[in-house]
Amino acid sequence: MAALAVVAAVGLMADDRVLVGAPIWLKPFKFAVSFTAYGLTLAWMLGHRGPTRTGRWAAHAVVAAGIVEMAIIVGQTIRGRSSHFNVETPLDRALFQIMGVTIAVLWTGTLVIAVLLFRTRLGDRAATWAIRLGMLLGLTGLLLGALMLIPTPDQQAAGALRTAIGAHSVGVPDGGPAMPVTGWNTTGGDLRIPHFFGMHALQALPLLLYGIDALGARFPRLRAERVRLRLVLVAAGAAAALLALLTWQALRGQALTHPDAATLTALTCLTLLTALAKACLLYTS
C-alpha cells in the first residue's frame, strides 16, 4: 500500500483527469495511505498479543480484502470510471458489489482481531485499554461507512434508471466545492468525515498514550498507572462523543466548515466537559 501511494502520487502529478470534481488519482492515493496506516497499526497491535492461528487468519483476511478493494479502485481509475456507488453498467455494478463484500470481510477480520485483543492483557492497564477502545472506535468508524450506501432522494426518484447508489455527501451532490487534500464537501454534509475520524481513532488513542508517557519524564504525576488509565478513558469518551457529533452534523447536511449554533454549542459543551474531567483527574486523584 505504501508503494501504491507513491504510484498514485505520481498519477496525481502526471494525469490531469478529473472525476466527480476531484483529481482522478486522489482517491487511490488517500485509500493507499489509509490502508498503510491501518495495516501497520493492526500488525503492531497483534504483535502485542503474540502469534495465534486465529489472529493470522484474521490478518490474512484483512490483507486480502484490502488488496481486492485497491485493485478495483485503481482499475476503475485507469478506466476513468468511479469505483464507489457506480452501477451505470453491469461491470461497474459487479465491481461495486465485490467492494461491498471486501469491506464486510475487512470489518469481520478486524472484529476478530478486536475480540482477541479483548481477551489478552497488552501491557499495563492504560496501554491495554488504549488499544481496546481504539479498536472499538475503529470498528464503529468502519461501520458508519454503510450510511453512504443509502440512496439519495434523487436516486430513489430515478428508480431502475439510477446510475449510482449512495453518495458521500448529504443534501448536495457529490463533486461540489471541497476542502483541499481531504476532498470533503464544504457546502453540505459529508459522511466521509465521521468514517475517517472513527477509523483513525485506532491510531489516535495509542499515540495519545505515547504522548502521555513522553510527558511523564517531565511531570511525575503522569507516570502513575491510574492517572494514565483515566486520561485514556476520558480521551476515549471524548472521541466517541465527537464521533457522534460529526455523524449528526453530516446527517443534517451541514458542512464541517460551516457549523450552526446547535453544533457549536454541542462542541463547546464537549470541550468544556473533557477539559473539566482531565483537570479533576490530574489535580484531585
Side-chain angles (χ1 to χ4, degrees), residues 126-139:
T128 296
W129 283 102
I131 291 173
R132 289 175 176 176
L133 295 174
M135 286 293 296
L136 288 180
L137 288 168
L139 284 166

Side-chain angles (χ1 to χ4, degrees), residues 15-81:
D15 191 339
D16 59 0
R17 290 180 297 167
V18 173
L19 184 65
V20 196
I24 199 167
W25 282 95
L26 182 60
K27 178 173 285 187
F29 176 76
K30 292 192 297 183
F31 269 71
V33 171
S34 182
F35 268 123
T36 300
Y38 195 72
L40 288 172
T41 305
L42 290 185
W44 174 77
M45 289 179 172
L46 281 170
H48 276 66
R49 189 184 190 280
T52 65
R53 178 177 297 180
T54 303
R56 283 195 297 269
W57 277 107
H60 291 160
V62 170
V63 169
I67 289 172
V68 173
E69 176 94 356
M70 287 305 301
I72 293 174
I73 290 174
V74 172
Q76 289 290 75
T77 297
I78 293 171
R79 295 179 64 226
R81 308 285 293 177

Side-chain angles (χ1 to χ4, degrees), residues 121-130 209 225-226 228-229 232:
R121 180 135 183 173
L122 308 163
D124 66 12
R125 290 186 300 161
T128 296
W129 283 102
L209 185 59
E225 182 181 353
R226 71 180 185 279
R228 293 165 64 251
L229 172 62
V232 166

Side-chain angles (χ1 to χ4, degrees), residues 83-117:
S83 55
H84 287 72
F85 319 122
N86 185 4
V87 294
E88 187 172 358
T89 69
L91 176 59
D92 293 329
R93 180 184 293 271
L95 291 174
F96 184 46
Q97 289 172 341
I98 292 171
M99 291 175 68
V101 174
T102 63
I103 290 300
V105 170
L106 187 143
W107 190 88
T108 303
T110 305
L111 175 63
V112 171
I113 293 172
V115 171
L116 292 175
L117 295 176

Side-chain angles (χ1 to χ4, degrees), residues 110-259:
T110 305
L111 175 63
V112 171
I113 293 172
V115 171
L116 292 175
L117 295 176
F118 264 84
R119 295 174 60 186
T120 307
R121 180 135 183 173
L122 308 163
D124 66 12
R125 290 186 300 161
T128 296
W129 283 102
I131 291 173
R132 289 175 176 176
L133 295 174
M135 286 293 296
L136 288 180
L137 288 168
L139 284 166
T140 303
L142 278 171
L143 202 59
L144 287 172
L147 294 173
M148 302 181 205
L149 300 178
I150 300 173
T152 66
D154 288 344
Q155 292 167 358
Q156 292 175 357
L161 298 177
R162 59 191 173 196
T163 58
I165 298 178
H168 298 133
S169 304
V170 178
V172 294
D174 282 346
M179 296 173 62
V181 183
T182 63
W184 295 337
N185 204 301
T186 57
T187 57
D190 199 317
L191 293 167
R192 289 173 294 184
I193 298 170
H195 179 60
F196 173 89
F197 179 82
M199 278 187 62
H200 293 291
L202 188 72
Q203 293 96 31
L205 285 182
L207 286 174
L208 171 69
L209 185 59
Y210 274 122
I212 294 171
D213 290 343
L215 289 172
R218 185 174 179 181
F219 303 101
R221 190 172 188 78
L222 295 178
R223 299 174 197 166
E225 182 181 353
R226 71 180 185 279
V227 173
R228 293 165 64 251
L229 172 62
R230 291 172 184 175
L231 284 172
V232 166
L233 295 178
V234 169
L242 183 57
L243 178 59
L245 176 59
L246 291 171
T247 305
W248 178 57
Q249 182 184 25
L251 288 173
R252 289 186 295 134
Q254 185 181 114
L256 180 68
T257 52
H258 298 92

